[in-house]
Structure formats: structure tokens, C-alpha cells
Amino acid sequence: MEEVFGPDGLIAQYHPNYEYRPGQIEMAEQVHRTLQEGGVILVEAGTGTGKTLAYLIPSLVAGRRVLVATATKALQEQLYKKDIPFLQQIAPTPFKAVCMKGRSNYVCLHRLKKSTETPMLEGLEDVNNFERIRKWAAESETGDRAELTDLPETLGFWPQIDARAETCLGQRCPDFDVCFITRMRREALDADVVIINHHLFFADLALRNGDYGSVLPEYSTVIFDEAHEIEDVAAEYFGTSVSNYRVSDLLQDALKITIEDSGQAGEVTRALARVGQRSDVFWLTLRSQPAFDADEREVTHGGSAYRRGSQNRFSKEADDGGRYQVDESLFVREDAEGNTVTTKAGEAYLALSNSIVRLISALSLVTDAPPELDNIVRRAQSLKFELEFVVSCTEPNYVYWMEKRGRGVFLHATPIDISCILDDALFGKVHSAVLTSATLTAGKNFEFIRSRLGIAHARELIVDSHFDFEQQAVLYLPRKMPDPRDRAFLDSSVEEIVKILETTRGRAFVLFTSVASMRATYERVRHRVDFPVFIQGEGSKNGLLERFRTTSGAVLFATSSFWQGVDVQGEALSCVIISKLPFAVPTDPVVAARQRFIDENGGSSFYEYSVPQAAITLKQGLGRLIRSSSDRGVLSILDPRIRTKSYGRFFLESIPRCRVISSIEEAESVFNPQ
């Protein structure tokens, strides 16, 4: 590894920004050892380590196919279009790499052809965009919609022409041989490195024994970058979700199929109409159920303040009605005499379920059925089974919850503890696995991540950041701040934010744990500073970041999606202000179920789950600041609990060591070192 990463090594000869990083060599050596000998390794690689090359280069000499799973499609693109071409240029032995995304990112040639016969376009713009896609699909090598950079991110008709698994005809499709998914699979079979994302990996893992949906080639080695996100993604795909959109898509696709026998066609049409009517009643009944208060009132848990109505782990991203736990009492209950009584929602469910059974029966009687009809039957059967599973609420290892999002109503069943699932389906089966991130530890150990993911035995490595935080940053903790539950906290935080921004001349992220807090603070601050002030929601994430980077002295108010995966180097970002410690919301159904599971098994959910998870999230937020060896800046946490509570020391031990100040005037020293 010294010959590759050292001062006179292979990378130094070709990379224009080469820096000798002992931590990078140590990580590469340990990853190489794990890939050769087998097992699991956990690597926390601080910012600037160069962890991407530290795991990619050992992958090239692993002697077997390696899957590299990133957190997002954007990181996939960076690996595939930047890091991989660099390695292909310098590697002494040629290797092949393939980038694979979820099926819905690719156009389905069969559905595209069928769509030319089906009215689905609204307006001239849709017609023009569809024609451009049709021409592009005839010339594209990949069919990946990411190539359509000049088209809008949201195309209303794209779901009608994408290659999602539920509409796939498999080998019965007349376009199977030229299908982009087929081509992608074939290329992956010949690849040494396959670049995917977490969502695709766990979607595939959950479906690997099924006839449809499995995309990835066989593998025995996998590397997870940004591995701190694995638990939530895996839980999503090992769970079940049913929504009004799913029923609507099924009905729309079924209506497009031509049935030659008029009698059979009529029966199918009537059956579809019944499902549609009863589906409307069912979802409307659910939508009318009382949800958590929409005003995001604060509640208390373990001595800490939280927000109700969370959309994500600690942030309500949109005022959409929130999410809340449900149980069988939503559908059946006992009356005063102890008799089981079906509720209004239960009656609506039974009517919908019966109508799906009749639809399946009507579809099964169709003679000379086209392949698309078999697909509809399979989807209807799956819908009935999964709807029954969610509504019954009988599996004790799952939490059942409902979510209202825009016009959508979603019923979910999510496994409470996925550690045994991952141990059995993943870590117990692969030859080797590498989990890495800049934020895998809490309190300088891997205990939290190991317990959450079911990793009993693993090598462990902590590589400190290549950057000198003690010289490049100061941590400002205000001397006197009210408790976050106190009404005076907003007033005090506004005063502190204004002082900090004046000192840093703007150039800041101000990060919050709820949209309500973000908006309230933004409205108070923006009139008191002379810097350009942006707020999450007034544009796309990428658009906001670009405006922030190119606007002198800009300040961005944001919530969860800006706590991680955002890279702004240089003076444009010289300050990160954290309003409150990012504890997960205990009223969120999944979080509440995980906490209850820990408590019922003799643990302490606050100290074993809430505090470590918040510490990791805090590290992510603070990690936005120092992204290069020339960056300088101020970190600030306004929440006084980091000083006043016993667990505050745990947070301070979890973040990079830097000089702590209690007077914002002292922050000038980081920008003007002696």
C-alpha cells in the first residue's frame, strides 16, 4: 500500500492534488486484509482521509467481484465518473466497473412503445419531452434518465415508462434482449467493481429469492460507504408499504390491457371499477383518522425536548399531516360487552379486500391473456397479501404506522429490530464486508452501530481526520442559554445567531431539527443581518447549494437533508450553527418502537439509542464545515444541554477535538491566526 499511496507511489505520480496521508494507508491495509481473509471491518475515516481510494484500490485486487454501495445516487455518480476513471488510467491491470441504479431510473423500451398508443400526456410540453425521450432511448447505451440533463427532474409520465420491477415481464417481454436492465445485468456479470446505492442493495437483498425485482449479480464481498445510514434503509426494504398510489397505479395499468373477449373484458372492467370505488372509500376513511397535532408541540423524553409530527428522524420536512402508529383497534375493537366489532375503517378494508379477490378471479378467467395480464394478477395478489399483513397488525416484531404525505396515504409495517435480519441475510452469508463513514462511532467506540446492525465480530479502525481541527476551527458554546423547552430559547438563539453571523460575515449554515424552528428563527434573523439569507424549501437542494456557493456572505437556514452529504469547500462556508442537539423524535412510530424494544429488554433507550444516534447526527452536521486543509471556521452549538447535562460530555467526546470558546469575539483568532 505504501507503493500505491506513499510519497513516491502510484497515486502521487498521477494525482494533481496528492497529499501523503498515513491514515489512508492504514485504512487501505486493513480493508485489503479483510477482503483477503474474510469477515467484517468497521472503519470510521475522518474527513479528508481519502477513504474512497482506500477501499477502491483493495477492491481491485480482491480476486472477486466487489459491490460498492453508496448512500446516494449523487455519490454513485462521483465514484463512477471521477474516481473510477482515475483508477482505470493508472492501474497496471485493466479492470471493469459498472454503475447500477434502481430500476425506476431506467426507461422500459416495451412500456415506451406501448405508451405511444395510450393517451397519458398533458399539454404540449409533455408531448415534446416524450418525443425527446423516445429519440434518446433509441440511441442511449444505458437508458439511465440521468443522461437527460436538460429535462425537468419531475416528469409526470415517467412512472408510465420506467422499468420498475412490478411491471417487468421478464423473459416473456418482446424487448428482453435489448432491454436496458438486461444489458446492465450482463455488464455487471463481467464487472470487477459494481457501484450501487444502499436503496438498490437492500431492495435486491429483500427480493433475492423472488422471481422479479432481483437485479444485482451474485456477490460475496460488499463495501458500504456512509454506512451509518444502513439501519433505516434496510428497515424500509424488509418492511411492507401499501398506499392509495399503489392501488391507483395497478388500476391504471390494468385498464391499458386489451382483452379480446368482450364478455371477459366487461367483467374485468366492472371488477376494476369496484376496486377503485372501494379503494377510494378505504383511503378516505383512513385519511379522516386523527393524527398527531400539526402544530409540532414539544414533548419531553429522558430530560430532552423533541418535536411532535416528525416526517424524518428528527425533522418535519413538510406540513403534510405527519406519521403515527396504528394497531388493530383501528380496524376492530371490543364493545362494552366484550364482543369484537368491526370499525368503519375495518369494514372499508374488508370491502376493498373482497373486491381485489373478485378482480383476481376475473383476471384469471381471461383466455389467451397477454403477458401484461399475468403481471397484473401477480401485483393484485401481492397487494392483497401485503394489505392484509399491515391491517392485521399481528406480528410483534413489526411496528405498524400510517403516514399522510400530500394526497397520499401510506400504511407501513416496519421491522423494529433488524440486527438479526442483517446477521442472517447479509453478514452471515458474505465472505467479507467493509462498513465505513466519517461518523460510525459514538463516544469513540463502535458499540452503537454494531448493536443496531447485528455485527457480533468485526475488525475496528478509527482514522482521525486528516485536517487539524484544533488549528482550523473553534467550537463556540454560549455561556448562558435557556433550556430548549423554555420559551426564551428562541429569543436567545436569535440574538446569538445574529452575533455569530456578524463575526463570520455571514458564510454560514444554520441547521435545525424541525421546520417550525427553522422558519421561526429565519423570520426573526433575516431582518437583522445585511447578508443574503436563504431558507430550505425556496428551491431545489442543488439549486440552493449553488446559490449559496456563488453568493458572497450567504447564510442558509436548513434542516435534516443539509446535515449530511453536502460539500462546500473554501470561504463560502466558514460557520456551522447547530440550534439544538438532534435527538430522534420519540413520538415517531419507528423511533418509539425501537426505544420501547430496548427498554422492554432491560436496556436504557435514552442512553443506548437516543444519545448515540444524536451524537452521530451532530458529527454529520458539524462535518459540513472543514472540508479541506485550507478551510477555517466556527462551529457553534446553541443547545446548553451539551454543557449542563451529564450526557453532554458524550457529545463533546464524539466530535473532532477543537478549541472551545465561550465568547464569540474569540472566534476572530481562527480567521486571523498569529
Side-chain angles (χ1 to χ4, degrees):
M1 291 302 163
E2 189 74 30
E3 294 175 0
V4 176
F5 294 99
D8 301 314
L10 192 63
I11 296 177
Q13 298 173 36
Y14 291 93
H15 202 294
N17 299 317
Y18 168 80
E19 289 183 63
Y20 178 63
R21 303 171 184 178
Q24 185 181 44
I25 296 177
E26 184 181 12
M27 176 178 173
E29 288 173 342
Q30 292 299 317
V31 170
H32 175 64
R33 178 184 173 191
T34 301
L35 298 190
Q36 295 302 314
E37 299 178 4
V40 179
I41 185 170
L42 303 169
V43 184
E44 178 170 270
T47 311
T49 299
K51 64 182 169 68
T52 303
L53 293 182
Y55 65 67
L56 278 179
I57 288 177
S59 300
L60 304 184
V61 294
R64 70 186 75 88
R65 179 185 300 116
V66 176
L67 301 191
V68 177
T70 69
T72 64
K73 287 186 287 186
L75 288 174
Q76 272 185 276
E77 294 280 337
Q78 178 179 316
L79 279 173
Y80 188 63
K81 295 184 177 180
K82 178 182 176 184
D83 299 304
I84 290 294
F86 171 72
L87 289 179
Q88 287 175 326
Q89 176 188 354
I90 71 171
T93 304
F95 70 92
K96 181 178 179 181
V98 169
C99 182
M100 301 180 75
K101 300 177 183 176
R103 298 178 60 121
S104 61
N105 290 280
Y106 302 91
V107 67
C108 172
L109 294 173
H110 180 64
R111 298 183 79 200
L112 183 65
K113 292 175 185 175
K114 298 282 286 187
S115 294
T116 59
E117 308 164 7
T118 307
M120 65 169 189
L121 305 177
E122 299 179 4
L124 184 60
E125 186 177 9
D126 266 6
V127 173
N128 291 336
N129 288 336
F130 182 84
E131 182 60 22
R132 293 168 71 182
I133 289 175
R134 192 181 64 79
K135 291 179 179 178
W136 159 78
E139 302 171 353
S140 175
E141 292 292 324
T142 68
D144 182 356
R145 67 166 295 174
E147 295 177 353
L148 300 165
T149 55
D150 56 344
L151 288 186
E153 289 185 16
T154 55
L155 292 169
F157 61 83
W158 182 260
Q160 306 299 318
I161 60 173
D162 68 17
R164 64 188 59 196
E166 62 190 29
T167 61
C168 181
L169 301 178
Q171 295 186 9
R172 295 173 299 164
C173 179
D175 294 297
F176 177 77
D177 288 333
V178 294
C179 169
F180 291 116
I181 300 296
T182 303
R183 292 188 214 173
M184 181 175 66
R185 281 173 167 164
R186 288 171 180 162
E187 289 186 13
L189 288 172
D190 295 330
D192 303 289
V193 178
V194 181
I195 307 220
I196 58 176
N197 58 59
H198 295 173
H199 287 268
L200 176 57
F201 179 85
F202 287 106
D204 183 86
L205 186 65
L207 295 171
R208 284 197 76 76
N209 295 323
D211 295 329
Y212 297 87
S214 182
V215 172
L216 301 181
E218 292 300 318
Y219 57 87
S220 62
T221 297
V222 60
I223 296 173
F224 294 100
D225 201 346
E226 301 297 323
H228 62 279
E229 296 193 11
I230 285 178
E231 181 182 13
D232 287 332
V233 177
E236 176 184 347
Y237 287 100
F238 280 100
T240 296
S241 179
V242 185
S243 70
N244 56 327
Y245 292 137
R246 181 171 167 184
V247 180
S248 177
D249 288 345
L250 173 66
L251 299 182
Q252 289 181 21
D253 290 343
L255 286 169
K256 295 175 184 176
I257 298 174
T258 302
I259 300 174
E260 299 297 336
D261 187 301
S262 59
Q264 294 174 340
E267 179 57 33
V268 168
T269 301
R270 288 189 290 273
L272 290 170
R274 277 193 298 270
V275 173
Q277 293 165 357
R278 293 176 182 182
S279 175
D280 288 344
V281 172
F282 174 69
W283 298 109
L284 186 60
T285 303
L286 290 185
R287 179 174 280 279
S288 66
Q289 299 298 313
F292 286 145
D293 297 337
D295 61 359
E296 295 192 305
R297 292 177 298 171
E298 289 193 349
V299 294
T300 304
H301 177 81
S304 303
Y306 300 88
R307 291 284 180 181
R308 282 190 185 269
S310 166
Q311 171 63 22
N312 287 329
R313 276 180 297 175
F314 59 81
S315 169
K316 182 175 170 60
E317 293 286 9
D319 295 323
D320 54 16
R323 49 199 251 176
Y324 59 97
Q325 187 170 345
V326 299
D327 56 34
E328 64 276 6
S329 65
L330 178 59
F331 304 100
V332 293
R333 59 179 176 80
E334 286 189 358
D335 61 15
E337 288 76 33
N339 300 313
T340 300
V341 178
T342 304
T343 65
K344 186 177 180 181
E347 291 174 351
Y349 157 69
L350 291 174
L352 173 57
S353 181
N354 290 334
S355 69
I356 296 174
V357 171
R358 293 182 66 177
L359 172 63
I360 294 170
S361 177
L363 292 171
S364 300
L365 293 175
V366 175
T367 56
D368 299 322
E372 290 87 351
L373 200 65
D374 291 340
N375 237 18
I376 297 297
V377 172
R378 176 176 57 83
R379 290 168 60 186
Q381 291 170 333
S382 177
L383 173 63
K384 179 185 178 300
F385 172 79
E386 293 179 36
L387 187 59
E388 181 180 0
F389 180 80
V390 178
V391 168
S392 64
C393 300
T394 55
E395 175 53 60
N397 296 322
Y398 282 72
V399 57
Y400 300 88
W401 51 287
M402 187 171 80
E403 179 181 16
K404 299 178 184 179
R405 195 163 69 231
R407 296 180 180 178
V409 181
F410 301 78
L411 280 174
H412 304 276
T414 303
I416 297 171
D417 180 26
I418 64 161
S419 60
C420 291
I421 296 174
L422 293 182
D423 180 38
D424 179 61
L426 175 57
F427 299 119
K429 290 188 175 180
V430 296
H431 171 270
S432 46
V434 178
L435 287 75
T436 185
S437 169
T439 56
L440 271 190
T441 65
K444 298 299 183 183
N445 66 71
F446 292 95
E447 184 178 342
F448 176 70
I449 198 75
R450 287 179 60 166
S451 67
R452 300 310 304 167
L453 301 183
I455 301 173
H457 305 286
R459 296 184 177 94
E460 297 178 355
L461 176 65
I462 298 177
V463 180
D464 290 333
S465 173
H466 180 64
F467 306 136
D468 188 348
F469 275 79
E470 291 189 278
Q471 295 297 319
Q472 293 180 244
V474 294
L475 174 61
Y476 170 53
L477 303 178
R479 280 197 185 94
K480 293 182 179 180
M481 285 290 292
D483 188 280
R485 294 162 292 185
D486 194 310
R487 291 181 180 275
F489 181 80
L490 175 60
D491 293 336
S492 297
S493 62
V494 167
E495 295 300 323
E496 286 293 343
I497 290 169
V498 170
K499 284 198 304 182
I500 296 169
L501 295 180
E502 293 293 345
T503 300
T504 63
R505 301 184 298 281
R507 305 182 296 170
F509 277 2
V510 189
L511 301 178
F512 297 84
T513 59
S514 82
V515 167
S517 296
M518 175 186 71
R519 289 174 177 164
T521 310
Y522 165 80
E523 290 298 333
R524 299 272 295 275
V525 171
R526 69 189 182 101
H527 299 295
R528 297 184 53 184
V529 295
D530 295 327
F531 312 107
V533 181
F534 307 134
I535 184 170
Q536 181 180 336
E538 64 182 11
S540 70
K541 180 177 179 179
N542 289 337
L544 272 177
L545 280 174
E546 185 59 28
R547 289 172 64 193
F548 179 86
R549 289 189 183 103
T550 57
T551 304
S552 178
V555 179
L556 174 62
F557 285 67
T559 59
S560 64
S561 59
F562 283 83
W563 283 68
Q564 56 187 340
V566 174
D567 190 0
V568 180
Q569 294 188 15
E571 292 185 356
L573 181 58
S574 299
C575 177
V576 171
I577 303 170
I578 305 288
S579 172
K580 298 179 183 179
L581 296 176
F583 285 104
V585 184
T587 51
D588 177 277
V590 177
V591 171
R594 290 173 179 171
Q595 292 175 333
R596 187 165 55 249
F597 178 83
I598 294 170
D599 291 334
E600 290 174 352
N601 284 276
S604 168
S605 63
F606 183 69
Y607 288 102
E608 294 176 27
Y609 181 82
S610 300
V611 170
Q613 186 188 61
I616 288 174
T617 304
L618 179 65
K619 287 167 67 176
Q620 282 286 333
L622 295 177
R624 299 313 95 209
L625 183 64
I626 304 300
R627 309 298 294 178
S628 74
S629 56
S630 61
D631 284 351
R632 297 287 186 276
V634 177
L635 304 169
S636 181
I637 303 170
L638 305 183
D639 192 327
R641 292 173 294 179
I642 199 165
R643 277 184 159 175
T644 62
K645 298 295 184 181
S646 59
Y647 54 79
R649 180 175 296 277
F650 186 88
F651 283 95
L652 291 173
E653 290 174 349
S654 298
I655 62 179
R657 182 183 296 275
C658 54
R659 185 160 56 93
V660 179
I661 62 175
S662 55
S663 168
I664 190 58
E665 287 73 24
E666 297 179 61
E668 286 287 353
S669 62
V670 77
F671 298 111
N672 302 295
Q674 296 295 324

